[in-house]
Amino acid sequence: MQTSHIQHLYWRAGFGILPNQLFNLKNLTRQEVVDQLFTESESVKKISVDLSELKGIKNPLELRKNKELRLKIVEFNKKKGVELNKVWVTEIANNKAQLRERMTLFWANHFVCQESNAMHIQQFINVLRVNALGNFGEFVKAVSKKAAMIKYLNAKQNRKSKPNENFARELMELFTLGVGNYTEEDIKQSARAFTGYNHNFRGDFVLRRLQHDYGQKTFFGQTGDFDGDNIIDIILEQKQCARFICEKIYRYFVNENIVKQHINEMVSVFYGDYDISKLMRFVFLQDWFYDEKNIGTKIKSPIDFLVGVHRTIPLKFKGERDLMKLQHLLGQVLLRPPNVAGWKGGSSWIDVNTIMVRLRMASLLVNHAQIPHKEKGDFNDAFRKYYFKKNKKKLPFKVEANWDAFFSNYGHYSNATLQQNLLNTKLNNGTEAFLRSLNKSSLRDYCIQLMSLPEYQMC
């Protein structure tokens, strides 16, 4: 398998690949490389933080009666939310199961959810992790019954006497069918089926039977005493559901520009059993996935960018909230989506402000905001002035770069290999001329220079 194709696969299905891994894979066939990628992601590692303080509350009425305890729990949840964010990013960066981590991140921006209760959001993240490569139908049903989603889309307010249509609408619009592929009446009937969905204090699903509508509902031409799971089963019967998911996966993993023939091929694989693993394996084995027009054409998300730097030069953030501050600066904070539709992705990741930050971020994290052997200009001076103005020449983040780990992975490879590993996209003439002009005596300096190029923003 071509090394550029392996790199492409590992950037789209994971978060990059180290040169020694690339060396071990380059003599394998495409089938063998893809098989290994899936094998490494077979097991599920759930993420967790210490939530014993929440679990120790036996009676939720304690919170209603005790204002001091209630405020204490609010602060506890904020702290644990920061911890969960850090644990999740750490798993993305370090877990060998890169495909599962990638798929979890993808589904987190599909089944968008935000929640302040650390126990409930931890449960939700782990539902994403467990089902990321499983059966899509079972996935949707599991998500519909998690406390975080029940609260986020107002399912707790969905009662027989007064149906709330929020979850029913988003289920079809964002999760399964897409805009325009259902009627307002379908929403009303679906909402009735999800009445009574609730949870207990620990986050376990509870159906409030007195609040559930057991009457007949007519949904997509079928009539019966449907509950939420029945509604999801009927949605799955619609081929548009498979098409909607395949198109979203194509835009994320292949190219934002849809090729109808490719989508039709994906739908023929996915529709029926809705096996996510089978669909993804099919995509990664296709010649069109490795077409030149698909390689190096995707703008890295902030998490992709941050994790990519870390996997090359491991970073240790010293401040409790430093990692989250950095995500905020780059424009993507895990567990804090902008709205129910999630992050738009693509070109929305880059604007006049964020591109300036990105081009200097690697040097900021690993080299005190200096790009070696580069003449200082207005941009460089303005960047340093912007960050150091209120910090008295101190960096805005307390971060330690592990250059020993970098040299362990890259020290015995050439500058050319380093460049090939970090830049998996076509270079423009200006960039090629710039790279030729550099003094390449220092592998460390060259790494920083490469990470400061516009091409490093692509994968």
Side-chain angles (χ1 to χ4, degrees):
M1 188 174 179
Q2 294 181 35
T3 55
S4 63
H5 289 180
I6 297 173
Q7 285 179 284
H8 174 61
L9 173 65
Y10 269 77
W11 256 116
R12 296 297 176 86
F15 298 86
I17 186 169
L18 294 173
N20 63 318
Q21 295 174 297
L22 188 61
F23 179 81
N24 292 333
L25 294 174
K26 67 179 183 179
N27 292 324
L28 300 182
T29 65
R30 182 186 299 174
Q31 181 75 55
E32 290 171 330
V33 173
V34 171
D35 284 347
Q36 181 167 319
L37 187 67
F38 277 83
T39 298
E40 290 172 345
S41 289
E42 284 179 351
S43 61
V44 180
K45 182 180 179 181
K46 295 183 178 181
I47 66 173
S48 65
V49 296
D50 183 4
L51 299 174
S52 55
E53 193 162 338
L54 282 179
K55 294 177 180 178
I57 300 174
K58 304 299 181 183
N59 184 0
L61 290 176
E62 293 179 48
L63 295 177
R64 296 183 185 178
K65 298 177 180 178
N66 190 331
K67 182 178 179 181
E68 184 179 342
L69 177 60
R70 194 161 61 246
L71 293 174
K72 182 181 177 182
I73 292 301
V74 168
E75 291 304 311
F76 174 83
N77 277 318
K78 288 180 181 177
K79 179 181 178 181
K80 293 302 174 179
V82 173
E83 284 186 33
L84 276 169
N85 177 286
K86 185 176 182 179
V87 171
W88 190 1
V89 175
T90 300
E91 283 302 317
I92 292 173
N94 299 325
N95 193 348
K96 189 177 181 180
Q98 285 290 283
L99 176 59
R100 187 168 294 275
E101 294 298 336
R102 171 59 74 185
M103 294 303 299
T104 299
L105 190 62
F106 167 78
W107 292 118
N109 203 41
H110 178 78
F111 296 113
V112 177
C113 186
Q114 185 172 358
E115 170 56 32
S116 60
N117 184 301
M119 180 164 57
H120 295 168
I121 199 63
Q122 177 175 285
Q123 292 167 351
F124 186 79
I125 295 169
N126 284 324
V127 161
L128 300 180
R129 299 177 73 79
V130 169
N131 292 278
L133 288 162
N135 177 272
F136 180 71
E138 295 305 313
F139 198 172
V140 180
K141 292 175 184 178
V143 164
S144 73
K145 296 174 183 175
K146 297 314 294 180
M149 183 61 76
I150 287 172
K151 285 186 281 184
Y152 186 58
L153 292 182
N154 308 113
K156 291 183 74 169
Q157 288 76 46
N158 187 17
R159 303 181 177 93
K160 178 180 178 180
S161 59
K162 190 177 181 181
N164 184 298
E165 299 173 0
N166 200 15
F167 177 76
R169 184 179 299 278
E170 305 305 355
L171 170 66
M172 288 182 275
E173 179 179 327
L174 298 177
F175 300 165
T176 57
L177 295 171
V179 179
N181 295 296
Y182 51 86
T183 67
E184 287 298 312
E185 186 60 25
D186 288 326
I187 294 173
K188 294 180 185 299
Q189 297 295 308
S190 173
R192 292 176 58 207
F194 286 98
T195 50
Y197 269 42
N198 213 311
H199 62 87
N200 60 23
F201 179 75
R202 299 180 67 84
D204 302 319
F205 174 73
V206 174
L207 179 64
R208 304 296 186 192
R209 299 188 181 279
L210 295 180
Q211 297 172 3
H212 179 67
D213 186 341
Y214 288 94
Q216 296 286 295
K217 300 105 180 170
T218 299
F219 182 71
F220 277 94
Q222 299 185 40
T223 301
D225 173 17
F226 300 138
D227 61 15
D229 283 359
N230 298 143
I231 292 295
I232 292 170
D233 285 336
I234 294 172
I235 289 175
L236 294 170
E237 292 173 7
Q238 315 308 309
K239 206 164 191 177
Q240 170 58 26
C241 178
R243 183 169 299 279
F244 177 71
I245 298 302
C246 287
E247 287 181 352
K248 194 160 187 178
I249 284 175
Y250 191 92
R251 289 191 180 97
Y252 184 89
F253 289 92
V254 185
N255 198 302
E256 290 188 3
N257 299 312
I258 292 292
V259 177
K260 188 174 181 180
Q261 179 185 341
H262 300 165
I263 298 300
N264 290 340
E265 293 171 5
M266 291 169 65
V267 171
S268 68
V269 171
F270 194 48
Y271 180 65
D273 60 12
Y274 284 95
D275 186 325
I276 300 169
S277 284
K278 186 167 75 172
L279 173 64
M280 299 312 300
R281 189 183 292 272
F282 172 80
V283 170
F284 298 147
L285 287 172
Q286 300 313 298
D287 288 341
W288 45 256
F289 178 77
Y290 302 94
D291 193 294
E292 286 298 316
K293 67 181 181 182
N294 297 326
I295 296 178
T297 57
K298 179 182 176 181
I299 298 174
K300 293 177 182 176
S301 72
I303 295 299
D304 290 339
F305 174 80
L306 180 58
V307 169
V309 173
H310 173 83
R311 285 172 64 81
T312 303
I313 312 162
L315 305 170
K316 182 179 180 181
F317 291 91
K318 298 181 180 179
E320 186 178 80
R321 300 182 64 87
D322 280 357
L323 182 56
M324 189 172 276
K325 288 179 185 177
L326 180 54
Q327 292 171 57
H328 180 75
L329 180 63
L330 291 169
Q332 184 185 26
V333 182
L334 291 188
L335 306 181
R336 295 186 181 179
N339 50 55
V340 70
W343 290 280
K344 292 181 180 179
S347 59
S348 70
W349 291 131
I350 300 291
D351 59 28
V352 174
N353 295 316
T354 56
I355 189 61
M356 288 183 67
V357 173
R358 281 198 183 210
L359 293 178
R360 290 296 184 270
M361 185 53 68
S363 63
L364 176 69
L365 293 171
V366 304
N367 203 47
H368 305 286
Q370 293 283 12
I371 300 178
H373 307 308
K374 181 167 172 55
E375 292 183 8
K376 286 188 177 181
D378 292 339
F379 183 88
N380 190 51
D381 295 340
F383 179 83
R384 289 180 60 78
K385 183 178 180 181
Y386 170 77
Y387 276 109
F388 294 155
K389 182 177 180 181
K390 296 182 179 180
N391 293 284
K392 297 180 180 179
K393 296 186 178 181
K394 293 181 181 178
L395 290 172
F397 311 112
K398 294 180 180 179
V399 59
E400 182 179 303
N402 187 346
W403 283 104
D404 289 340
F406 167 79
F407 282 109
S408 176
N409 289 321
Y410 291 92
H412 51 290
Y413 290 100
S414 66
N415 285 320
T417 299
L418 176 65
Q419 178 178 323
Q420 182 186 41
N421 187 262
L422 296 186
L423 306 179
N424 191 35
T425 187
K426 187 176 180 180
L427 305 181
N428 64 42
N429 294 335
T431 299
E432 289 183 337
F434 169 71
L435 291 177
R436 286 195 298 270
S437 72
L438 292 174
N439 181 348
K440 301 182 180 67
S441 60
S442 168
L443 196 65
R444 169 175 170 158
D445 289 351
Y446 195 50
C447 175
I448 298 169
Q449 291 158 351
L450 292 172
M451 286 182 167
S452 303
L453 295 172
E455 283 84 352
Y456 185 72
Q457 308 304 320
M458 309 299 290
C459 66

